Every structure is written in structure tokens, then in C-alpha cells.
Amino acid sequence: MKTKSALSYFGSDSEVAGELAAMLDDCKHVTIPFCGGASILPHLQARAIVANDLNDLAINFYRMMNSGFRNLVIEMCEHTLSHPSELLLANEVLSSNNLSDKPVRAWAYWAMCWIGRKGKGGTSNIAGMPSVRRTANGGTNATRIRAAADDLKEWSKHFERCEWESVDFRRLLPKVSDTVGCGVYCDPPWKGLGDGYLHPFNDQDHVDLQLFLQRFEIATVVVRYGDHKFIRGLYSDPHWTIIDASSRTQTNEVKGEIWITNQKKVKVI
């Protein structure tokens, strides 16, 4: 696929998804509390996945793409242009009280994520004008949207492994079995940098997530965070292994991040 995520999402793990997924290769079942743009799905070997997110619009899109409405949603996406009118229409759909038209709302959210400025999905500032290139360097927003639409059929195959939920991680994680073959992949809102999300974390959320993950002794846990002193302190217990890593921003700048796991021997590609 040309696209590295199903939805163009803020803080995406798309650049490092393959390396993170490799740490879960032995898992037959993986729970993802913060699904976001679903970048990691194509890289996971698990035959069963629970994909969760508090962003109801994102979850509705995934559910419609995993339902009898899939072809309808794909067709609408394929006919979407890089034009301000498309964004205005999508915004009207999402602003309406007609929650029953789920396929159209799925298209509208996809359009908002892909037509507007890249990487705004999952934030409160998703609406914006199309990103129009005025130089001869690089690709265009039109080709990016076309590639995103063309890839949807392939993305939908990965959605077929998933069961979808939209609950707080405090309700989700206690249900996960701490047994061989199970895994948890967490890419939560980062400390500071994740404040732009619709559902950002405060300090207590970070503390609670660590506490809920601490109980896993057998199941594999992998957590991705921006490198921050506060987070390193939370996971300083010998129970955890911290791996220094990095990825690149949309402006191609290298940013430090840390990968945290409860496994002593980890596979990183």
C-alpha cells in the first residue's frame, strides 16, 4: 500500500510501526487501546485484534469499513476531490445530528482526515483548507487523496481481524488475559506533545496507564511514548525495559521517543 495509515492521524506511529509490531510477533491476540490511524495493523502477525479508541468518528469509520457498507464508503472516498467544498460538506455531515447515516459519516471523517492539512486526524483542529502545493517539488494533495482511496480495499482486509471498541483504557485493560500468546500495544497521547488530541492525557492518566499495564507478567506489553523525564520515571521499575528510539516528524525532523516493554528479550528489526 502507498499509504502508511488508514486515516491521516496526529502523532502517527506509521514510520516505526513495523519495528514495534515485530516485538509482538509471538502474539496470537493483540489489544490496541489507542487505535488512532491504525498504522500498526498491517504489520501485526496476530490472527485476532481488539482495536479500541475513544474517538467515535474514527471507530465508526473502521466499523463501516468492516461491514456491508464497505463498498459504499470506498466509492464515496474514490469520488472525493481535493477541494474546499468537499471539506465544507464533510464538516456539515459531522456537525449534523443525524447519527443514523453512519456510512456517510464514515466518508466525512475520512475526507476531513485526508483533504485537510496532513496529520490532523484525532485532533480538535481537523477542519482546514486543502493543502495546495505551489511549487514543483514533491507530490500533490490530489495524488495523496487518490492513493488513500485506492488503498482502502487493502486496508479493509486488515480490519477483518479486528473487533472494535470505544471505551476508556481503564475499562478495557482489565479484560485482557495475562497469558502466553496475548499482547498489548499502547501508543497513548504523549506527555506535552499529545495535548492536541480530542482526548489528551493528564498526568494522572499516564500514571493510571502504567498501573494497569504493571499487572501483565506473561502477556507481552509494548508502549510507545515521546522521550520525557516524567514517563521514564513512571517506567523505571525493573519490570520494564526501555528502548531508545527515534522517528521523523512531518517536516522530516528527527524526534526522540522511547519504546517500553515488559519483555527482557525483545525483537527489534
Side-chain angles (χ1 to χ4, degrees):
M1 293 184 291
K2 293 181 179 179
T3 48
K4 296 181 179 180
S5 59
L7 295 170
S8 182
Y9 225 76
F10 180 68
S12 174
D13 56 0
S14 60
E15 295 297 325
V16 292
E19 297 170 83
L20 289 161
M23 298 165 68
L24 294 156
D25 276 352
D26 293 334
C27 299
K28 298 178 181 179
H29 186 287
V30 173
T31 298
I32 310 174
F34 314 97
C35 182
S39 299
I40 202 168
L41 287 187
H43 305 278
L44 290 173
Q45 301 298 317
R47 63 171 179 256
I49 298 170
V50 173
N52 177 83
D53 204 283
L54 285 180
N55 185 346
D56 290 335
L57 291 172
I59 293 297
N60 177 66
F61 170 78
Y62 295 130
R63 288 177 57 218
M64 292 301 99
M65 285 294 296
N66 198 26
S67 73
F69 293 108
R70 177 180 60 187
N71 291 336
L72 174 60
V73 175
I74 292 176
E75 184 178 356
M76 287 189 288
C77 294
E78 289 175 338
H79 287 85
T80 301
L81 298 177
S82 177
H83 192 280
S85 293
E86 300 272 23
L87 278 173
L88 290 173
L89 177 59
N91 190 48
E92 289 177 6
V93 169
L94 297 180
S95 299
S96 73
N97 294 321
N98 185 11
L99 302 181
S100 62
D101 202 349
K102 295 179 181 179
V104 177
R105 292 179 68 82
W107 162 80
Y109 192 66
W110 178 90
M112 295 285 278
C113 287
W114 284 106
I115 299 177
R117 189 172 179 84
K118 185 179 179 182
K120 290 295 184 180
T123 72
S124 56
N125 191 31
I126 189 172
M129 289 298 99
S131 177
V132 180
R133 184 173 293 281
R134 309 289 183 180
T135 70
N137 300 322
T140 70
N141 205 45
T143 56
R144 184 170 70 99
I145 295 168
R146 172 53 55 196
D150 289 344
D151 282 349
L152 283 176
K153 290 181 181 178
E154 190 66 27
W155 275 107
S156 68
K157 296 177 183 178
H158 297 291
F159 301 154
E160 291 174 359
R161 289 183 289 167
C162 298
E163 297 178 85
W164 305 96
E165 293 193 272
S166 189
V167 298
D168 186 272
F169 70 84
R170 299 170 184 85
R171 291 177 55 195
L172 179 73
L173 289 175
K175 301 176 183 178
V176 180
S177 177
D178 185 23
T179 55
V180 173
C182 288
V184 178
Y185 170 64
C186 289
D187 185 11
W190 291 4
K191 171 76 170 173
L193 295 175
D195 292 345
Y197 278 109
L198 280 172
H199 303 282
F201 264 27
N202 57 34
D203 286 354
Q204 189 60 52
D205 292 322
H206 293 296
V207 171
D208 288 350
L209 178 61
Q210 189 276 336
L211 289 173
F212 275 86
L213 294 175
Q214 186 79 18
R215 77 171 178 89
F216 292 103
E217 298 285 348
I218 302 172
T220 300
V221 174
V222 176
V223 189
R224 176 184 180 242
Y225 260 121
D227 193 354
H228 196 285
K229 181 179 179 180
F230 179 81
I231 302 301
R232 283 185 179 269
L234 281 181
Y235 292 86
S236 60
D237 188 281
H239 180 81
W240 302 106
T241 297
I242 298 179
I243 302 168
D244 291 292
S246 65
S247 59
R248 291 187 177 273
T249 66
Q250 294 175 33
T251 57
N252 209 33
E253 296 179 1
V254 177
K255 67 175 185 295
E257 55 184 75
I258 52 177
W259 302 344
I260 305 164
T261 181
N262 62 342
Q263 303 299 305
K264 299 308 176 185
K265 294 182 179 180
V266 294
K267 174 185 177 182
V268 181
I269 61 174

